[in-house]
Amino acid sequence: MKTNKLLLTAIILSPFVCFLSPGCIEKNQVVEEASIASLQADTTVSLNTAVESSPNCKIHLDFMYLKCSDKDSVSQSVNQTLQSIFFNEQLSLLSPEIFVDSVMHTYISKYKNDVEKYYQADIKNGVDAKDIPQWYNYEFDITSELAKGKNNQFWNYTVSTFQNTGGAHPNTWGKWVNINASNGKALTKEDIFLPGTDKDICNLILKQLIQEANKRLETDTISSMEGLQSAGVLLDTDLYIPDNFLLKEEGITFLYNRYDIAPYSMGDFQLTVPYAEIETYLKL
């Protein structure tokens, strides 16, 4: 196994002030500003290091978080939420550096648990190297982005996962979350949208979906739900408000991953509804 390379690259996008409660700031105390930083890790795990053509697993992680002082409890809370979203809640209390290392080793263990016993059985049975199944080769690529959202009140956090584990084709999906910048808590649909407004919001999304479908298919003939269905969209589900959305400056962008509302071949859909159209349905 090649040595893990853990590279910390501080990326200061702009001087965001840490959101500390007044009681935590002493008089005349200078508060260190939080900045967006990135931790990257790469490794290639071979099932047999003595064989050049051995099946392997390539793993790449790029975790974005807030770099701040130990006294910045809010930014620390944001980081715990980021870590929970990036991987899971069990590792959320670790330092970012230890967190990334732990995630890396979890993926390494997953790979070995999935395929090593089958590979060793093939070797024991004398299977020639050229006949070793290609599905023993894995790849994981998990990246994230962190940016300020609407009126600097929220952090927009996205995690993109590429996974190739020997299936018919690789899978790619995104997870989008809005984080309250004042307390580090992740927000849900129920926190953002007024109750009883799903149908009206879906009508706004539908308008954007029709425009996007016409653009992708290089036509202008789609104008209704029936037209979308004839193009292969929304065949197996009604339109709904997805859990994945971002409160951006210009509007709310909704993400539908592959398979959510259309077949894999059509990719994902990212549809933005301007605030001028949707604000009447928001709690904010």
Side-chain angles (χ1 to χ4, degrees), residues 148-169:
K148 274 300 182 69
K150 183 176 184 287
N151 299 330
N152 287 340
Q153 295 178 325
F154 310 99
W155 288 105
N156 290 164
Y157 193 57
T158 68
V159 178
S160 300
T161 300
F162 170 87
Q163 177 175 291
N164 187 357
T165 55
H169 51 69

Side-chain angles (χ1 to χ4, degrees), residues 207-255:
K207 182 172 70 172
Q208 300 299 325
L209 179 58
I210 289 172
Q211 292 180 6
E212 179 62 21
N214 278 317
K215 179 180 178 181
R216 292 192 188 187
L217 299 174
E218 298 181 347
T219 183
D220 59 1
T221 60
I222 300 174
S223 60
S224 64
M225 181 74 75
E226 291 73 18
L228 287 170
Q229 292 173 336
S230 67
V233 182
L234 294 173
L235 287 176
D236 302 316
T237 181
D238 294 327
L239 192 60
Y240 59 91
I241 302 174
D243 293 325
N244 293 307
F245 63 91
L246 293 179
L247 301 167
K248 295 186 175 182
E249 286 297 341
E250 71 280 7
I252 300 181
T253 301
F254 299 90
L255 169 67

Side-chain angles (χ1 to χ4, degrees), residues 96-256:
E97 292 82 5
I98 297 177
F99 167 75
V100 169
D101 190 60
S102 298
V103 173
M104 176 67 76
H105 281 87
T106 300
Y107 276 103
I108 292 171
S109 295
K110 172 178 171 52
Y111 174 59
K112 290 185 175 181
N113 289 337
D114 280 358
V115 305
E116 188 166 34
K117 62 182 177 181
Y118 301 108
Y119 174 72
Q120 295 300 334
D122 283 346
I123 296 301
K124 183 178 180 179
N125 292 329
V127 176
D128 193 271
K130 66 180 182 359
D131 297 322
I132 295 294
Q134 284 300 307
W135 69 264
Y136 289 169
N137 293 289
Y138 275 25
E139 183 176 0
F140 298 103
D141 190 342
I142 303 92
T143 61
S144 59
E145 293 186 9
L146 179 65
K148 274 300 182 69
K150 183 176 184 287
N151 299 330
N152 287 340
Q153 295 178 325
F154 310 99
W155 288 105
N156 290 164
Y157 193 57
T158 68
V159 178
S160 300
T161 300
F162 170 87
Q163 177 175 291
N164 187 357
T165 55
H169 51 69
N171 287 323
T172 303
W173 66 91
K175 186 171 184 179
W176 291 6
V177 179
N178 303 278
I179 301 171
N180 189 324
S182 65
N183 60 23
K185 304 297 183 182
L187 300 171
T188 66
K189 290 187 292 187
E190 291 70 27
D191 296 321
I192 302 300
F193 304 110
L194 290 169
T197 60
D198 284 28
K199 182 177 180 181
D200 293 320
I201 294 172
C202 283
N203 286 337
L204 296 177
I205 298 173
L206 178 63
K207 182 172 70 172
Q208 300 299 325
L209 179 58
I210 289 172
Q211 292 180 6
E212 179 62 21
N214 278 317
K215 179 180 178 181
R216 292 192 188 187
L217 299 174
E218 298 181 347
T219 183
D220 59 1
T221 60
I222 300 174
S223 60
S224 64
M225 181 74 75
E226 291 73 18
L228 287 170
Q229 292 173 336
S230 67
V233 182
L234 294 173
L235 287 176
D236 302 316
T237 181
D238 294 327
L239 192 60
Y240 59 91
I241 302 174
D243 293 325
N244 293 307
F245 63 91
L246 293 179
L247 301 167
K248 295 186 175 182
E249 286 297 341
E250 71 280 7
I252 300 181
T253 301
F254 299 90
L255 169 67
Y256 295 91

Side-chain angles (χ1 to χ4, degrees), residues 28-46:
N28 299 325
Q29 178 183 343
V30 177
V31 179
E32 181 182 338
E33 296 175 347
S35 60
I36 297 177
S38 173
L39 276 168
Q40 300 176 352
D42 293 273
T43 194
T44 299
V45 184
S46 296

